[in-house]
Structures are given as structure tokens and as C-alpha cells.
Amino acid sequence: SKYEGSPEILEARDLASVAKYMNSAECKNVFTMLGAGISTSAGIPDFRSPETGLYANLARLNLPYPEAVFEINYFRENPRAFYTLAHELLPGRFRPTPTHSFVRLLNDHKLLHTCFTQNIDTLERRAGVPGNKIVEAHGSFVGQHCIECDTECDGEKMRQALNTGEIARCPECDGLVKPDIVFFGESLPQLFHRSVPNLRNADLLFVIGTSLTVQPFASLASLVPAHCPRVLINLDAVGDFGSKPDDVICLGRCDDIVRDLCKALGWADELEAAWKET
Ligand code: APR
């Protein structure tokens, strides 16, 4: 499909050159940087899209400002806002998208080195990307801890609390319990920091469905070696894409672009089959 956008936006033929490179011997280690844009077609709103983004639709929570719902100090005072939102975002209620299945295909074709994702919806796992290749930089709902004494708390109790909206308390110190998603002001998981140096081995980087506005995640895009092409697949141009001669910028809906790329790779049927399994 044609991609709108400014003249330097490269034509679909450049997906053909990306596909050709992916099939070449030089392309061994592919990395992805994923954001909320890849889950919008699954029904999960992203954060910053003007009309549909989460941050434009939190009026019912009476927040001082939208990001407060993910701030540890606001949570300590008003945990109900996050609980209400978490209930709506609970994993398990959504299905992966063709873009998630594309990342799984990268692994099936022995190209995927690491899937860095900002998303907490665990849809990468659900699409069949192996857990040991996923770095959930902003955590996920997989675990939960007390925000005061850091005691690991019971998952069933947490799920129950998120479902009923009652507040889960720590059995040790009665502090508030929060899923292990990274709130603003909290440090990112150790796994993230341990995985960052691997980017020096990148032969190809896909940045898909992210505004590249949140650090330190966004800075990953500038850590790949000079020879490593960076492919942006996003509704709009973001970050410093276009600053490097071999940046490939594809503006449009990620599922459409991924389907076009899979056609060029000869993976179209595999993509539909993998997605059908989810
Ligand atoms: N196809 C392609 N791009 C899309 C699509 C789509 N179907 N839907 C949305 N996008 C794009 C938007 O245009 C935007 O550029 O995806 C990007 C989503 O940006 P954000 O909403 O800012 O989401 P993200 O970049 O993942 O946010 C980063 O912010 O609040 C924190 O911790 C939260 O992990 C999150 C971080």
C-alpha cells in the first residue's frame, strides 16, 4: 500500500530492499523496539494519539494530569485511579495483532536477537515470541510487589483486586501492592540494563508503533552500529529517523506495512497462519 507523508518517505520498493537485506548473509541479528501503537488494532488504546490515546481519555479518573495514573507518589495517595485503569487493561482480554506475529516470524526464521518492548500487555509472549528473547522494559503484570517493603505478593489476590477494584494490601506491612509495571520515577528492570549492550551486535533494527518520547527506552534507537539500518514503522515520523542515510521510514498502520513486508519476504502465508494461531 502507498505510504502518505513527506517526500523523503521512501516508497514501498524500499520494503523490497529491506526484505532483500533480511534474506542476505549479513543480516543475522534483528532487534525490535515496540510501543503501544502495535496493540491499538487489538483494541488497547495507545497513550498519546490525540483523540483515542489513553492520556486523552482519563477525565473520569479526575487526575491532576494524565501521567499521574502511572506515578508512584500519586498511586500512594490515590491507588483507585490505577486500579480502575488496570482493570480495563488487564492482560488476557486481548488478542495479539499481525505485527506481534511478525516478531514471532523473525524468531521462526532465526533472525530475532532481542524484542525490546515498552508494552505491558504481554501480547508478544501470547504471539509466540520466546520469553528469553523479550525485554519488557516497562515491566508487565506478570508479578506484583509491595511498594513499601518490596515483598513479592500473591498473583491471585492481585488479579482478584484488579477485577473487583478493591485495593490489595501487603501481608507483611499492609503497604499498597502494585503490579511490576514500571511507574514514572521507578528504575527499569535489571534485564533491560543487561540487554542494552547487545545492541552493538545489531544488523537491523525495527522501531514499530512508538512515539519515542520516553527515556531511557527511546535512546536505544541511537545505540545500533553505523552499518545497521533502522526501519521505522509508525503512523508518524518520530525520534531522529531520517538523520541516518540508511534510515527506512514507512508511515502508515503497522499491520498494513508488516503485511507488505511479509509479502516481499515471501512470508505472507506464514504470517496469516501464525496470527490465526493466536
Ligand atoms: N500503526 C502504526 N503506528 C501507530 C498505530 C498503528 N496502528 N497506532 C498508533 N501508532 C503510533 C502513534 O502515532 C504514536 O506515534 O504509535 C505511537 C504510540 O505512541 P505512544 O502512545 O506515546 O506510546 P508509546 O510510545 O508506547 O509510549 C511509551 O509512555 O506512558 C508511557 O510507559 C508508557 O510505555 C509507555 C511509554
Side-chain angles (χ1 to χ4, degrees):
S1 58
K2 294 291 292 171
Y3 306 121
E4 300 88 43
S6 47
E8 81 264 13
I9 302 305
L10 302 156
E11 294 304 320
R13 63 179 157 74
D14 280 83
L15 281 183
S17 57
V18 170
K20 192 156 164 281
Y21 174 66
M22 287 172 71
N23 285 324
S24 74
E26 306 101 279
C27 184
K28 292 186 286 294
N29 299 312
V30 178
F31 288 72
T32 67
M33 288 173 62
L34 308 177
I38 74 164
S39 296
T40 50
S41 71
I44 304 174
D46 68 9
F47 293 92
R48 296 174 180 82
S49 280
E51 304 298 315
T52 54
L54 196 70
Y55 289 152
N57 291 282
L58 292 178
R60 66 193 181 292
L61 299 181
N62 304 315
L63 300 163
Y65 46 88
E67 288 83 351
V69 72
F70 292 120
E71 280 185 359
I72 200 75
N73 295 329
Y74 184 81
F75 176 72
R76 193 173 272 114
E77 303 309 315
N78 306 275
R80 195 154 297 288
F82 170 74
Y83 270 76
T84 308
L85 184 64
H87 175 61
E88 291 162 12
L89 291 178
L90 259 186
R93 298 173 46 193
F94 301 97
R95 179 188 174 201
T97 70
T99 302
H100 290 99
S101 296
F102 168 66
V103 181
R104 178 248 166 99
L105 285 196
L106 287 174
N107 187 63
D108 291 351
H109 285 266
K110 312 253 180 296
L111 287 170
L112 181 68
H113 184 290
T114 302
C115 167
F116 284 99
T117 184
Q118 300 167 94
N119 297 345
I120 58 174
D121 54 35
T122 70
L123 290 184
E124 298 86 1
R125 288 166 197 274
R126 301 262 309 283
V129 181
N132 65 353
K133 298 252 176 103
I134 299 172
V135 176
E136 286 152 336
H138 294 168
S140 82
F141 282 89
V142 168
Q144 48 286 317
H145 286 76
C146 169
I147 64 168
E148 305 305 346
C149 70
D150 203 30
T151 300
E152 166 118 37
C153 297
D154 173 53
E156 212 22 64
K157 275 228 194 68
M158 185 83 241
R159 251 181 300 288
Q160 214 180 359
L162 292 177
N163 269 320
T164 58
E166 100 235 10
I167 308 293
R169 291 268 168 196
C170 169
E172 301 298 318
C173 76
D174 200 41
L176 284 168
V177 178
K178 166 179 97 46
D180 292 346
I181 62 175
V182 178
F183 273 31
F184 289 110
E186 287 189 304
S187 53
L188 274 63
Q190 272 312 311
L191 176 64
F192 173 81
H193 298 292
R194 279 204 309 274
S195 306
V196 168
N198 296 332
L199 280 158
R200 71 166 70 96
N201 304 318
D203 300 314
L204 181 60
L205 173 70
F206 283 103
V207 176
I208 314 177
T210 176
S211 59
L212 287 184
T213 44
V214 173
Q215 296 298 355
F217 188 89
S219 64
L220 297 185
S222 54
L223 297 181
V224 298
H227 80 272
C228 172
R230 307 183 308 171
V231 181
L232 175 70
I233 298 176
N234 207 57
L235 281 178
D236 37 51
V238 295
D240 67 345
F241 271 86
S243 68
K244 294 176 74 169
D246 53 359
D247 281 346
V248 179
I249 301 173
C250 308
L251 299 189
R253 288 203 313 274
C254 53
D255 292 342
D256 297 346
I257 296 169
V258 151
R259 283 197 161 108
D260 286 350
L261 176 55
C262 285
K263 261 194 218 102
L265 284 162
W267 297 0
D269 296 345
E270 273 178 83
L271 180 73
E272 298 313 321
W275 185 45
K276 218 201 289 301
E277 274 175 36
T278 62

